[in-house]
Amino acid sequence: MGKALSNAFSPLFSNLKTALKFTILPILSWSIILVIGIVFGLSLFSEEASGNFSNFHTGFFIAILVFVLLSVLISIQFYTAWIQFLRYGDTSLKNTFIFNIKKCHFVILGKAILLNIIVVLIATIVNIPLGFLNLGSPGIITAVIQILLMLALAVVFLRLSYIFPAAAIDQRFGFIDSWNATRKNWLRIFVAFILLVLIMIVATIVIQLVLGLIFSIFGAVFSPIGLNANQLTSTSDISATLLSAGFLILVIPSYLISMAITLISYIPFINMHYYCFKTDVSLTNDQEILDRFS
């Protein structure tokens, strides 16, 4: 567990420039999607105001679906790019470009959906008998049982999750392979992730306090050109506010910094997961095979 936690942070701190580089295109992609979503949302609200409710609900559902799909694919690209950097040392920025979607990204997406379905089915099957047992039980016992069930589902998810780093480096690896590979070390992996979560929670609180103080000072400096919520009475007022100098100066820097920190905060989890994966699984690449034959 000590090595796992060490490997969670050391590749990040020693390659911080690469980590920041990999955040550029995902943040730009999300920003473009967000701007398009805001413009589209304002047009939908104007249609709703005119009484066209059917177009509003249909358009809103499609917009949410597209936004979620693109956001998930961008996240998968970031994850895959970092795994390939750890594996091959590939620092190419095009690996994080939204239009550079490859087969491995869809493989990860499909396996993620399938894994979530499996976990939900297990939770549903287990909750049916537990529901009858909890009918006459005190509330605290029910809460403890639910917490234990969540921990058990987290263990199942972790034991089956080796499919993701394997797919990122184009290795054939199934759910059964992942389950068998984690047979001996599943408890250490689980405890290491719990410790990492606690460390990252503390780090997140500290970072949020520091950033909150900085942006509070920044907002006070630019308060003369700040926002006036009382003026937001119509769609045109909202559009004007979103494009105002006060909004742009206050929001854009905080948005970009927050997005970069959010993406980078996932890297320790990726690092430790990949370390556990390569420790439990024998990996071979083309260069290793060539070295053996030579």
Side-chain angles (χ1 to χ4, degrees):
M1 289 188 295
K3 287 184 178 179
L5 288 170
S6 174
N7 279 273
F9 294 101
S10 57
L12 171 60
F13 293 140
S14 59
N15 300 282
L16 195 55
K17 288 184 179 180
T18 303
L20 290 171
K21 175 183 174 182
F22 279 178
T23 64
I24 294 173
L25 289 181
I27 291 175
L28 289 177
S29 300
W30 271 315
S31 302
I32 293 171
I33 294 172
L34 184 62
V35 170
I36 294 174
I38 291 173
V39 174
F40 186 63
L42 291 174
S43 65
L44 287 177
F45 280 114
S46 63
E47 287 188 10
E48 185 190 26
S50 63
N52 198 348
F53 298 106
S54 60
N55 287 344
F56 170 75
H57 291 297
T58 303
F60 186 76
F61 174 77
I62 294 174
I64 291 295
L65 188 63
V66 171
F67 179 80
V68 170
L69 179 60
L70 290 177
S71 297
V72 170
L73 285 174
I74 292 170
S75 302
I76 290 174
Q77 270 190 313
F78 180 79
Y79 170 84
T80 305
W82 189 257
I83 290 289
Q84 290 178 353
F85 165 69
L86 294 176
R87 177 64 173 162
Y88 306 115
D90 187 1
T91 60
S92 176
L93 198 62
K94 69 177 182 179
N95 291 331
T96 58
F97 185 48
I98 183 58
F99 294 108
N100 189 27
I101 300 293
K102 298 178 181 178
K103 178 183 176 182
C104 62
H105 301 132
F106 289 106
V107 170
I108 293 175
L109 176 62
K111 289 187 175 183
I113 294 173
L114 184 57
L115 179 55
N116 280 278
I117 291 174
I118 292 172
V119 173
V120 169
L121 286 176
I122 294 174
T124 304
I125 294 171
V126 174
N127 267 313
I128 292 174
L130 285 179
F132 292 103
L133 293 175
N134 293 334
L135 288 176
S137 303
I140 187 170
I141 296 178
T142 303
V144 170
I145 292 175
Q146 291 298 325
I147 292 173
L148 293 176
L149 176 60
M150 290 175 61
L151 293 176
L153 291 174
V155 170
V156 172
F157 192 94
L158 274 175
R159 291 199 61 179
L160 296 176
S161 64
Y162 279 2
I163 56 174
F164 300 128
I169 57 175
D170 295 321
Q171 296 275 347
R172 291 195 175 190
F173 209 75
F175 290 110
I176 296 176
D177 299 320
S178 180
W179 186 266
N180 292 333
T182 55
R183 182 177 298 168
K184 296 181 180 179
N185 295 323
W186 68 268
L187 183 57
R188 280 182 285 185
I189 296 171
F190 178 70
V191 175
F193 266 97
I194 293 294
L195 293 175
L196 181 59
V197 168
L198 294 176
I199 292 171
M200 294 304 296
I201 287 175
V202 173
T204 301
I205 292 173
V206 173
I207 291 172
Q208 286 180 345
L209 289 174
V210 173
L211 288 179
L213 179 62
I214 293 173
F215 285 119
S216 296
I217 298 172
F218 189 75
V221 172
F222 289 95
S223 58
I225 54 174
L227 305 177
N228 186 358
N230 296 325
Q231 295 178 353
L232 305 180
T233 57
S234 65
T235 302
S236 59
D237 291 335
I238 296 174
S239 301
T241 301
L242 293 178
L243 296 175
S244 65
F247 183 86
L248 297 177
I249 291 175
L250 293 174
V251 172
I252 289 180
S254 61
Y255 166 77
L256 295 177
I257 294 173
S258 299
M259 288 297 296
I261 292 176
T262 300
L263 282 173
I264 291 176
S265 68
Y266 288 116
I267 290 180
F269 294 96
I270 301 173
N271 289 339
M272 193 168 76
H273 192 231
Y274 180 71
Y275 168 78
C276 297
F277 167 71
K278 72 177 183 179
T279 301
D280 292 332
V281 179
S282 298
L283 296 178
T284 56
N285 57 28
D286 295 339
Q287 186 60 43
E288 291 172 353
I289 293 173
L290 288 173
D291 291 342
R292 288 181 185 180
F293 277 103
S294 60

